[in-house]
Structure formats: structure tokens, C-alpha cells
Amino acid sequence: MAAIDMNTLLVANRGEIALRIIRACRRLGLRVVCAHSEADRNAAYLRVADQAICIGPAPALKSYLNIPALMAAAEASGAGLIHPGYGFLSERPEFAGAVEAAGRVLVGPRSDVMRMMGDKVEAKRAMIATGVPCVPGPDSVLPDDPQAIRAFADEIGYPVILKAAGGGGGRGMRVVRSESELTDAFMVTRQEAQRFFGNPDIYMEKFLEKPRHVEIQIIADAHGNALWLGDRDCSMQRRHQKLIEEAPAPGIDRALIAEIGERCAASCREIGYVGAGTFEFLYEDGQFYFIEMNTRIQVEHPVTELVTGLDIVAMQIDVARGNPLTLTQDQVRTDGHAIECRINAEDPDSFAPSPGRITGVHLPGGPGVRVDTHVAPGSEISAHYDSMIGKIIAHGATRNEALARARSALDEAVIEGVLTNIPLHRQLLDEPGFAQGGVSIHHLEHWLKARSSTDA
Ligand code: ADP
């Protein structure tokens, strides 16, 4: 067992975000150790790390979700810092707790804060207490009594949405449009919540019909400083999965965004949050409604980096090491507009995953274009993991310039050997609703439905 070294960071993730974290470590002069599964042993990004450690076989449960294997890699390499990336163990308080118990530091909030934010009812209560606006509905779990549940729904007004307190990934939610559906919907949602999340608690909110998804990026240090780093619009979603993200959110009053951003930063100071995080909101008719907080780096962080010029991953590591933020809120400036397209190895029409070996790659470049990906010719895209293989991000002085650069970047991009959703992105960037800006979270699914009925 090596001594704990606070200048060594273990990457507990894979793919594009592993490479992104390695780059931040290089910039900070840290030694970087990358964990990998047997399936990823030939991944090109491992060569950029100082050390690579195999943590188990391809299935994530045996490798990237295997807490003892990751802790053993930390011990063997001496890594004092552990970066969980996104997905996998990034929001598991058990992992954060294991890292703390081993005298190491997770790049993220403390396990108790992570646990609180992971329980959506507790998170909502904390938000209400700190003045962050939430979706109307009780800040407690629902009782068993059908009459009491009906009374809550009457008070909110139909339609309402039932949500699992321990839910995630867009599962464990049900919209209820009238009283006659309420009791059955409650029972089914409770069973699902127990089955998927091991937690039967259900809460109720007003269902918003045509909201946008707008989120605020924050960063907070261990010295009581918290900043908000602007906003993002991630309304282009399919099955609650984001496909295109942009910063800033088009067409929303900047003074209102600033007010919400300040509240999020203040809330972080009050709850003692340390790290990068995202407050997710639904936005409808000029109002913001908090839905959840993500206590980790997000896939879409590059759009914020391009408009602010900041390195959020490096800042995240810095605050985890106990360093104070070196910026003040007035030094956080945004410039222009950025758009990110998530590139997935999947059929652009059916969305079926398309694993396999990548035979050829040409990545776009030029002014205002950034590509975050780990793929190279010869990369193996494994069916064991998420199909996202990278992101093409474009920045411009205006939204139109960012769109134009994103279009030309997508036109240049070539990935051979697997199918990708690049053709879908080309269509979406030309789609009049999206091009105009400000679409609701249902826009993409409506457009896909219309497309498939024209094809038929
Ligand atoms: P998860 O953690 O599973 O992603 P969220 O609470 O973030 O759950 O909700 C996921 C998605 O469900 C939101 O992005 C939105 O599309 C929809 N949703 C959640 N709450 C509401 C609501 N009150 N009204 C309308 N849509 C909602």
C-alpha cells in the first residue's frame, strides 16, 4: 500500500470524461492514475495518464461500479484524490463515504450533502428553506391514506405528477390528469419506486405542460465562497436524455437568471456545499421551478466553459483540494453563445445502439469548435457502456454564429465503423423551431413523431 499522496488523482470513470479529467490534472500538474475495465484496456486515453490500473471485467457492476476495486486502485497508486466523473458512482453517497473513510478526498460534495441532495424530497425541502423556487406541491412524502392524497392533488390542481423520492434517470414518475386515476397511479408508482430504487417514498408536484429545462452551474469552495457560472438550456431531450445543450438559455430575461443564479449560490453557502454542481429547473411562463440538484460535473459543462472561458473541471479539483476560489462573482463574465451536440454510437433513425470497432475518424476543428472525445481509429465501442462517444461543441459571438459553426463542424465530422447520430444532429440544427430557440422539453419528441409519420 502506497502512502496517501494528495498530488495524485485517480479517475474512477471512462471514455470522454476520463480524458477530460486527465487533461485537467495535467494542467494542474497532478499525477493521474486512470482506472479501467478489461474492455477498455486498449483505450488510447490511458496512455496519457501516468498510470493505468485494471479494476475488473467489462460489466460495470464488476468494474466502474465496484467500490472495493476502486478503493484498492486508490491504495495501490497512493491516489489521495478520486474523481468520479458523471454517471457510474458519481452520485452514490456510499462511494463518497468509502473515500472519506479511507482518508482520501472525493472530487465532489461530502457524502452527507450528496445523500441529502439525492433524496428529492429532502433536496426540495432544503431548496424551499434557502429560498430557491420549487414546483408547487408538498415538501414531504405522501401518506398511504387515499383521501389525504386526494386532498393534496385538489390543493395543487390537476394535472399532477407522482415522483419517486429516490428516483433518477427519468424513471419512477407518473402524470395524473384526474382524480379517477389517482389511487391506481399512486400504487403503481410506489411499486416501481420500491423495485427500481429500493425506496417506496413518493411525492407529488404540479405537472407543468410545456416547460423548458434550464439549469444553473455552480462552484463552491470549502471557505464559504460560492459562484454561479451562468445558465444552460437542455430542453432538446428524448426520453429524458439530453441531446443538444446550449449556453446561455435563449430569450430569458437576464435579470431573472441572475436572481435565480444568486439564489443557487446562496443556497450552496447555506448548506455547506463544496464542489461543482447543477441546479436543474423547469422554466414556464417566466417562472423557474427547481426539480433537482446534480452533485457532480455534467456532460454539458463545456458549453459553460466556452462562454465563460473557465476550466470547470480544474476548478472542481482545486476546491476539492481545499483551495479557495480565486474569482469573485463579478469576474465571472459570459461571452457569446455555445451549443453542444452529444454524439452517440447509435442508429440515427431507430436509436438502436451501434457497438463495434471504429475504423476511421475525422474530427472537425477551426475557430470556435471544440471536440471532447476519446475515440480514435481502432477504438472499440463496447455494448457494456453508454452509447455516448463524444461531444461536438461550437462557440460564436451570437447564437446564430454558434449554430453556423456547429453545422459546419457536423458536416466535417466523419466516424466510420459504427453508426452515429451525426445525421440526426445535422437535421436538428436546421429545424426551424430549434433554430429559432426556446423550445419546450417535448419539442424533440414531437418532431421525431412527425418525422416518422412522414416517412411512413
Ligand atoms: P430524474 O432524476 O429521473 O431525471 P427529474 O426530477 O429531473 O428526474 O425529472 C426528469 C424529467 O421529468 C424532467 O426533465 C421533466 O422532463 C420531467 N418532469 C419532472 N417533474 C416535472 C413536473 N413537475 N412537470 C413536468 N415535467 C416534469
Side-chain angles (χ1 to χ4, degrees):
M1 182 172 147
I4 297 179
D5 173 12
M6 295 313 284
N7 292 314
T8 296
L9 183 145
L10 174 72
V11 182
N13 212 302
R14 64 178 299 282
E16 71 92 17
I17 196 64
L19 177 56
R20 175 69 188 83
I21 298 164
I22 294 170
R23 286 174 175 156
C25 291
R26 288 248 163 274
R27 218 215 75 190
L28 294 169
L30 297 175
R31 186 173 162 263
V32 56
V33 183
C34 198
H36 67 89
S37 70
E38 284 167 13
D40 286 332
R41 73 154 49 91
N42 295 318
Y45 60 86
L46 296 176
R47 291 197 290 270
V48 202
D50 296 290
Q51 189 181 351
I53 299 183
C54 185
I55 47 163
L61 273 176
K62 300 205 160 132
S63 47
Y64 299 106
L65 292 172
N66 183 344
I67 296 177
L70 284 159
M71 295 314 299
E75 271 182 26
S77 61
L81 297 159
I82 302 184
H83 199 308
Y86 52 69
F88 295 126
L89 295 170
S90 60
E91 288 182 295
R92 297 274 189 89
E94 317 82 271
F95 184 51
V99 172
E100 287 161 8
R104 293 166 210 271
V105 173
L106 187 82
V107 179
R110 281 195 326 260
S111 58
D112 57 334
V113 175
M114 192 185 279
R115 182 168 285 113
M116 173 171 83
M117 289 306 169
D119 182 312
K120 292 176 167 187
V121 175
E122 271 197 59
K124 191 166 175 177
R125 209 174 285 144
M127 290 307 126
I128 292 171
T130 54
V132 174
C134 292
V135 186
D139 64 345
S140 53
V141 300
L142 291 174
D144 273 320
D145 173 20
Q147 213 170 331
I149 298 174
R150 277 200 292 275
F152 280 127
D154 284 341
E155 198 181 319
I156 298 170
Y158 291 92
V160 298
I161 182 168
L162 299 173
K163 298 169 75 169
R171 294 201 301 175
M173 286 185 278
R174 191 160 271 95
V175 180
V176 182
R177 297 201 172 266
S178 68
E179 187 175 299
S180 62
E181 303 164 23
L182 186 60
T183 308
D184 284 354
F186 175 77
M187 309 264 268
V188 179
T189 312
R190 169 155 281 185
Q191 280 161 9
E192 275 179 13
Q194 177 65 50
R195 191 166 64 233
F196 294 144
F197 314 112
N199 174 357
D201 290 344
I202 302 294
Y203 68 109
M204 185 190 289
E205 280 179 354
K206 176 84 190 152
F207 178 70
L208 304 173
E209 296 279 2
K210 285 180 85 176
R212 290 166 62 181
H213 175 118
V214 179
E215 58 188 34
I216 302 284
Q217 173 74 54
I218 60 91
I219 182 97
D221 67 20
H223 306 273
N225 305 304
L227 303 171
W228 66 282
L229 307 180
D231 56 310
R232 296 185 283 258
D233 187 321
C234 314
S235 300
M236 290 289 277
Q237 304 183 359
R238 176 180 171 269
R239 299 194 177 166
H240 302 302
Q241 297 290 318
K242 298 165 185 167
L243 199 64
I244 302 179
E245 301 101 340
E246 60 186 301
I252 301 182
D253 178 14
R254 290 287 102 196
L256 176 60
I257 301 257
E259 193 186 312
I260 297 293
E262 289 296 343
R263 286 214 180 278
C264 295
S267 176
C268 289
R269 289 189 280 267
E270 279 178 51
I271 61 185
Y273 188 89
V274 178
T278 301
F279 286 72
E280 293 194 333
F281 293 89
L282 296 177
Y283 172 82
E284 190 174 75
D285 297 333
Q287 306 266 7
F288 277 86
Y289 303 97
F290 171 83
I291 47 171
E292 68 168 338
M293 182 181 193
N294 290 318
T295 55
R296 54 172 165 82
I297 193 75
Q298 285 192 272
V299 174
E300 60 269 27
H301 75 275
V303 289
T304 302
E305 293 187 329
L306 288 185
V307 295
T308 59
L310 298 171
D311 181 337
I312 299 173
V313 180
M315 289 170 89
Q316 190 191 19
I317 296 170
D318 252 344
V319 296
R321 299 173 82 199
N323 295 327
L325 287 164
T326 54
L327 279 179
T328 58
Q329 190 66 54
D330 359 309
Q331 290 170 315
V332 178
R333 299 260 164 76
T334 61
D335 170 34
H337 202 96
I339 296 181
E340 171 179 281
C341 296
R342 294 191 187 194
I343 309 303
N344 298 337
E346 66 189 14
D347 185 308
D349 297 314
S350 71
F351 298 96
S354 176
R357 181 180 293 274
I358 293 194
T359 51
V361 176
H362 173 80
L363 298 178
V369 174
R370 163 171 165 181
V371 181
D372 277 20
T373 185
H374 62 296
V375 302
S379 294
E380 198 61 56
I381 306 304
S382 166
H384 286 284
Y385 311 117
D386 191 88
S387 63
M388 200 195 74
I389 55 171
K391 295 141 13 184
I392 294 178
I393 313 115
H395 180 234
T398 61
R399 186 170 189 267
N400 279 338
E401 188 176 49
L403 273 171
R405 284 178 167 162
R407 285 191 195 101
S408 75
L410 287 165
D411 284 343
E412 261 184 67
V414 180
I415 295 180
E416 290 166 332
V418 299
L419 293 172
T420 75
N421 62 355
I422 291 174
L424 173 66
H425 279 298
R426 288 186 187 127
Q427 284 182 295
L428 290 175
L429 293 189
D430 283 334
E431 190 276 312
F434 176 69
Q436 198 191 335
V439 298
S440 90
I441 57 173
H442 306 297
H443 183 78
L444 174 58
E445 294 208 1
H446 288 162
W447 181 85
L448 287 167
K449 216 180 210 173
R451 183 184 71 166
S452 63
S453 60
T454 357
D455 292 350

